[in-house]
Amino acid sequence: MAHTKLTQADFDAMREKYDSDPKNKVLQRSVMKNGINNTAKDNRVVAKLNHTYSVEIDTGKVSNQKRSGRCWLFSLLNVLKHDFAKRYDVKDFELSQSYLFFWDKVERANIFYDRIIDTADKPFDDRELRCYLAAPGADGGEWGMAVALVQKYGVMPTSAFPESNVTEDTSDLKEVLNRKLRRDAMVLRDMIHAGNSDAEIAEKRKEMLKEVYKIAGFACGVPRETFTFEYRDDKQNYHVDADITPKQFFDKYFEIDLDDYVVLGNYPNRKMEQLFRNKAGQNVVGGRQVEFLNMSMDVLKDAAIAQLKDGETVWFANTVTEQSDRQNGLLDDDLYRRAELFDIDMNMDKAQRLDYYDNIPNHAMTLTGVDIVDDKPTKWKVENSWGEKVGEKGYFVMADNWMDNNVFEVIVNKKYLTDSQRQLLAQTPVDLDPWAAV
């Protein structure tokens, strides 16, 4: 094992190197006063990121996930509400994120207990077990997880199941669920190791799940079995549909078949034209699998552009914290020239950054437009879920180079794939480790 002790001679050499370049004192003052990003920001990049697009879908007001990790739900519901708005002439219609969030808490606990029981024979320091225990109360997710919830529980309008203080700031709920689920894991493992019967363990598991239901009910409210759907369309015509279940509501008002949509991934550290499955990402037992077909970025872009041209928005997964100006809604891979500022080599390609956990998807947003120049995309219009006070009333502009390096998944209808690409979906998926960087 390496033991490299720093000495005074090392410090003297560092200081000598630092003092040898007079620019360092100037840059030190600038960075200390203005910060790293403000000093490194390239305003030439800002100038080219205007909000004009050759292909653009009118999608109305943005939603706001506030202090929660529910972007994956917001983005899917954005896609659905855009379809509803166009079909029924209701521009700013909103679907309830809290409703699906409630069921995600219950379903995610249920599958967590299964995983704890299945890994009860593994030692406490087992890597798989540690992954399950890392954040059992987390509220982040993926496309397949959102689809599984919609297909099982349907959807509700926000008017029938509004946000709560907790859904708008999930930090306290995550703390409660993390502690509760980890303790439940301890109890279940202890019971199994003590030789309790399967019936006793199953009964204890049911009691635990009832407690999770109660926590979710306090936090979100308990969903009603039926509701009355009332609205006025943009022409002020009144509509009412009484005593409808959330599943009936989805089946009646939405013609989108979610089984027609596939996840195209771009993870260049993994085999291309291969179907992958992330079993650890599944949240509903028996529900939609979390899978992606790994393809080149050109395939992702071509399919996304085709879907946008047909008037349908596109869910996508990305690393929104990379080279981004949140307040102004700018995403460009050359926005902050940090390597230039510090005169260091920071170059890593997309595959290397994935391998070294430097760039892992952490957000989902919605593509609503693209600017195509000389048959090539130059920038994309992005609907975020951070409210109207950031970007252009909540919309971001994403440079095409940012998409290359920081977008990892897009969701498209299978009809936008070629015949040979669709055939790849029939292959047996390769299962990813629970700790895989996806």
Side-chain angles (χ1 to χ4, degrees):
M1 183 177 178
H3 293 280
T4 306
K5 184 178 180 181
L6 289 172
T7 66
Q8 186 60 47
D10 293 320
F11 299 138
D12 292 342
M14 293 177 196
R15 182 60 182 266
E16 182 180 0
K17 174 71 172 176
Y18 187 87
D19 290 341
S20 66
D21 189 342
K23 295 194 302 294
N24 287 344
K25 294 292 180 65
V26 177
L27 291 171
Q28 174 186 318
R29 292 193 294 270
S30 178
V31 172
M32 289 180 67
K33 179 175 178 58
N34 302 302
I36 292 174
N37 283 351
N38 285 334
T39 304
K41 195 169 190 176
D42 188 340
N43 286 311
R44 294 170 301 178
V45 170
V46 176
K48 71 178 184 180
L49 294 177
N50 61 73
H51 291 269
T52 305
Y53 308 91
S54 58
V55 177
E56 187 173 9
I57 302 170
D58 186 8
T59 48
K61 293 181 180 179
V62 301
S63 49
N64 193 347
Q65 68 186 78
K66 298 192 177 178
R67 296 177 60 85
S68 73
R70 299 172 295 157
C71 57
W72 53 291
L73 288 172
F74 274 78
S75 294
L76 171 60
L77 295 179
N78 283 344
V79 171
L80 293 179
K81 77 176 186 180
H82 297 156
D83 178 72
F84 181 94
K86 181 171 58 177
R87 194 177 304 280
Y88 298 100
D89 199 20
V90 187
K91 188 174 183 179
D92 292 319
F93 177 71
E94 191 80 18
L95 287 165
S96 173
Q97 295 84 18
S98 295
Y99 171 69
L100 293 181
F101 186 66
F102 171 90
W103 288 116
D104 180 61
K105 295 298 98 181
V106 178
E107 290 282 1
R108 204 180 293 214
N110 180 59
I111 204 167
F112 172 76
Y113 295 145
D114 281 355
R115 289 167 177 155
I116 293 302
I117 291 169
D118 290 343
T119 57
D121 61 335
K122 294 181 181 293
F124 189 63
D125 60 356
D126 176 76
R127 193 173 185 183
E128 180 183 1
L129 176 61
R130 286 292 185 182
C131 284
Y132 298 145
L133 293 173
D139 52 8
E142 303 188 44
W143 168 265
M145 298 167 65
V147 169
L149 293 168
V150 171
Q151 289 181 328
K152 184 171 182 177
Y153 296 104
V155 293
M156 295 179 73
T158 301
S159 58
F161 200 88
E163 293 283 284
S164 73
N165 177 279
V166 177
T167 60
E168 291 181 343
D169 183 350
T170 57
S171 52
D172 291 347
L173 178 61
K174 283 187 285 189
E175 288 184 16
V176 170
L177 287 174
N178 277 332
R179 172 64 65 84
K180 190 251 186 305
L181 292 173
R182 287 169 183 152
R183 186 184 185 280
D184 289 349
M186 177 185 71
V187 171
L188 290 172
R189 282 173 62 87
D190 286 349
M191 289 180 69
I192 292 169
H193 297 161
N196 287 75
S197 68
D198 290 346
E200 290 173 322
I201 293 167
E203 186 59 35
K204 173 58 72 173
R205 190 181 178 290
K206 287 181 181 179
E207 293 176 10
M208 292 172 171
L209 204 55
K210 289 176 182 177
E211 292 173 344
V212 172
Y213 185 98
K214 178 172 69 174
I215 293 170
F218 284 8
C220 307
V222 176
R224 290 172 288 166
E225 292 185 7
T226 64
F227 63 95
T228 296
F229 179 45
E230 288 183 287
Y231 72 97
R232 286 190 181 275
D233 61 30
D234 292 338
K235 297 176 182 177
Q236 294 305 305
N237 296 314
Y238 174 76
H239 305 265
V240 61
D241 197 345
D243 296 325
I244 189 170
T245 70
K247 191 70 171 64
Q248 290 169 341
F249 176 65
F250 178 72
D251 292 340
K252 179 176 180 178
Y253 287 94
F254 298 88
E255 294 186 8
I256 290 178
D257 185 350
L258 293 172
D259 286 332
D260 286 340
Y261 290 78
V262 296
V263 182
L264 296 181
N266 180 247
Y267 296 90
N269 61 333
R270 302 189 182 278
K271 183 181 177 182
M272 288 293 162
E273 299 191 351
Q274 174 65 56
L275 187 66
F276 289 93
R277 177 172 57 193
N278 179 18
K279 291 196 293 185
Q282 189 176 5
N283 61 336
V284 177
V285 174
R288 177 74 170 259
Q289 296 288 315
V290 177
E291 296 179 339
F292 65 89
L293 179 62
N294 206 31
M295 303 295 286
S296 69
M297 183 54 76
D298 286 343
V299 173
L300 274 68
K301 290 180 184 180
D302 288 345
I305 290 170
Q307 188 159 302
L308 287 170
K309 284 183 174 180
D310 276 355
E312 187 174 348
T313 56
V314 179
W315 188 106
F316 74 105
N318 61 90
T319 311
V320 74
T321 48
E322 287 293 322
Q323 289 286 339
S324 66
D325 179 342
R326 176 185 180 124
Q327 188 57 46
N328 294 301
L330 306 177
L331 303 167
D332 190 299
D333 224 40
D334 295 322
L335 185 60
Y336 304 113
R337 297 189 178 273
R338 298 162 182 153
E340 212 174 275
L341 171 64
F342 292 106
D343 191 22
I344 58 175
D345 188 353
M346 298 178 68
N347 186 53
M348 297 173 75
D349 63 31
K350 195 173 186 179
Q352 292 166 335
R353 294 176 72 195
L354 282 164
D355 284 339
Y356 284 86
Y357 290 82
D358 182 68
N359 194 7
I360 300 172
N362 60 14
H363 194 46
M365 298 187 286
T366 312
L367 297 174
T368 63
V370 61
D371 195 26
I372 301 173
V373 179
D374 296 330
D375 295 325
K376 293 185 180 298
T378 60
K379 62 181 184 292
W380 303 73
K381 184 180 180 181
V382 174
E383 181 180 7
N384 206 344
S385 53
W386 291 347
E388 295 186 319
K389 293 183 179 180
V390 295
E392 183 77 12
K393 294 185 177 180
Y395 286 89
F396 283 36
V397 54
M398 177 178 74
D400 194 60
N401 65 11
W402 196 92
M403 186 175 197
D404 287 333
N405 293 311
N406 301 293
V407 170
F408 296 89
E409 296 175 1
V410 300
I411 313 306
V412 296
N413 193 301
K414 287 182 285 189
K415 68 183 180 182
Y416 298 113
L417 304 183
T418 65
D419 289 341
S420 60
Q421 290 167 352
R422 280 191 291 271
Q423 289 173 6
L424 296 172
L425 297 168
Q427 63 186 291
T428 301
V430 172
D431 286 323
L432 296 169
D433 293 322
W435 52 87
V438 294

